[in-house]
Amino acid sequence: MGALYGAFQAPRSFLARRRLMVRLDSLRDLAIVRAPTGYGKSVAVAQWADAQPRSGVWLSVNSENSSRAPFWVDVVRRLVQAGLLPADDPQTLTLGDIAPDTDLREALRSILGQLRRPALLVIDDAYRLDDALIAQDLVEFVTSTPLEAVVIARTQGTPGQDWSVTAAEPLVITAQELVFSVDEIAELLGDDARAPHVGALLEKTGGIPLLARAIAENIRVRSNGAIRRGDTQDAVARVLHSLVFHSGLADDTVGFALRTSIPDRIDAALAEAITGRKDAAELFDDFEQRGLGAWFRRNDSAWFSYTPGVRDLLRGKAAKLPRTEARRIHATISRYTYERDMAIPAIARAIAAGDLDFAEIAVARYYWLYTGFQWQTVEALLSTVSMPAMRNHPVLAIAMALLLGQFARNRVRTLEYMAIATTGKRLGPGTPPLHRALVATIQAGSMRSLGQEGRARAAARRADAALHEIDPDEVATNESLIAILYGHTGITYLHTGAVDRAIELFEEGALLRSRTMRGPGQVLPNAMAAGVLAAEGRLVEAREHVEVARQLGGPETGIEDWHHRYQGAHYWIAEALLALDAGEVEAAQSFLHEVDRHLHTIEFWPAIALTQAHVDRQLGDPLVGAAAIEAMMRPGARPTTTGYLHDRLHIARAALLLEAGRIAEARTILSSQSTANWDAAIATAQLHLATGQPQRALAVLAEKRAARPSTRAEIDALLLESVAADRLGHSTTARAAASRAEALKRAAALHRPLLFIPNPVAAAIALTERERVLLVHLGSGASRGQIADDLVVSPNTVKSQLRVLYKKLDAGSRDEALQHARDAQLI
């Protein structure tokens, strides 16, 4: 067995950390063991080194060897003393006289190359090293000489050497690996891992070895080796109480600890804001040395966190602070975390401070949390606010409604909070425009969810106006929320037929997206613009938004899985419509399957149903599509929608029935629709073409309408006009209409219109001679008996033959059969 010269000797009574030894056995060149004080770094490495066959040296960094040259001189000296380097080598003897850094590394490479066998260097307290070149030296030497190294570094608030990036692939052992596992706690206590007090000790100490050992020793001393129920809890209380209140801390330092335990984690600046102490960092350094907590850091930020048991003890005492001081502390934390974009603490502390005005500001800013992975946390916080308080703070009521409204089972409670938001405190001219926009947006959404189209559109106009009153600086601060408000206000416009304004708002919201924006504000307006533009036939613009959407996401954005969330539904609609335009019907259906989970949402189910109707047509299943729409529109099957969308769904069903040859049913649906609507006009024109009446089709298409058609509707109308004119023999008109349609298609990059061009039904209905005779008799008004007498057959035979005729004509009665025969020019 080898020996480490100058090694720290771990007490034999200490628990052997077998799993850590296994990890360190995989050492190749360099290992970094990094954790706060009290995590047993040195003990674990010493236990491992003691069992190693390799020889080496242990060096603890101090003020005398923390610089580059003194450090390496000390390393070489110890290697010589350990007999691993020759003592009489001239380079070794003169190493301390080398000044230039370039000469030092070259000299060290030559010296360390003389190692007689592989040697292990353990560097303890490496955080004290003050020259980044030492890390670079070490990486080079462990890869080019027989030297291997284990670096023991402490995590603290003002760290020196950053050993986390010293090599491409070092073995890294973190604080999370150094804490005791439940099995190790059980071994420490000499008990079964399933024993309740084992879990209790692990929870209170966080598994930190220093605390766990101290408490375990306290238990053994007081229980004479026999652990009884309650021993662990009592020992935890005794040890932690002693650490905090009987370890020589001054009263004002204890007061500092009480107040800084209130936030879950705290940095020096927040501690100073709460307590007024300028020496917060130094106090936290002292607390870490005492085992009360630890510094943690990420990138350029560092924060202190008390050990769970210590934090619970301190918070128990802090709960007795005067109410006014406690509220002041919570308010300070709320504003501090708000300024640093820490959403949950900002909201939680504002509510704890009773500052609901500021809570509204924080809730409004962090709107994206409502449907993010932290929605349950936000709901739990808001549920502590009373209903009367909600009435005076409608933004909080709106937030609660949005949180609950994600799930159908919460519909009643959602409407309750929406009612509070819309009937509570009135928002006057002095109310910030952002809050007015938020309230009006939710009012618009609640009105359209109740099918009140006029009120929904009026609320959307109020939201639209308020959004455009917001100061540019406030837009920059709240861009994620404002982008979503643009999106939802646009949705209300869309559902009430103001499609052009909806698209404008979606595109305005999409333009707000910046590199720093987090959450669904990046997604909703862009996805909505993509889906609606694709449905309108403006594929050039739709593709631009789809390309942007494909680039969204990433761990830093808070929306890695945005495409599976509520906000991304219209992105998949856009992808499906683009696939249909490319003739990829199966791909379109696959895209639509991605939004199956949103078929019950108030906002999206009509658009999904309308897109599915196009896919069903292309799949050759128009009757399947018609049946699906009929099922969705049954009372209670889907959330209530607006009259505008209700009509569009009916018209889509009629078009599907028409393509399936169910002319009578299509006619019944379209008879209740006004041809002032472009969708209804196009479907009615299709009906007239199907029944052999091209002149009537042209007349419908020529009617004047207040609204301009969408690109897709305009192309469809021109194609129908071309077909109708051609069937009437008006070839010049037909060519002109077809040419205009082709020009529009090129401009919109639309390759395959989703239009069904019907053939006259007469061409599809083949009647036998006997069926034609039956039609003549029906037209004369003859009864079934009279027809039987005239044709010299039985009444049952006439009945059977009429049944077949009615089926061919898609009719259920004599009158329907005659009307359909006339439409098809059969009589």
Side-chain angles (χ1 to χ4, degrees), residues 576 579-580 582-591 614-620:
L580 285 180
E584 299 168 355
V585 184
E586 296 295 339
Q589 184 63 78
S590 176
F591 288 134
H614 290 309
V615 173
D616 289 335
R617 269 201 56 247
Q618 299 297 321
L619 289 171

Side-chain angles (χ1 to χ4, degrees), residues 2 12 237 257 260 262 525 654 665 739 751:
R12 294 293 178 184
T260 55
I262 293 174
E665 293 174 67
S739 177
H751 302 97

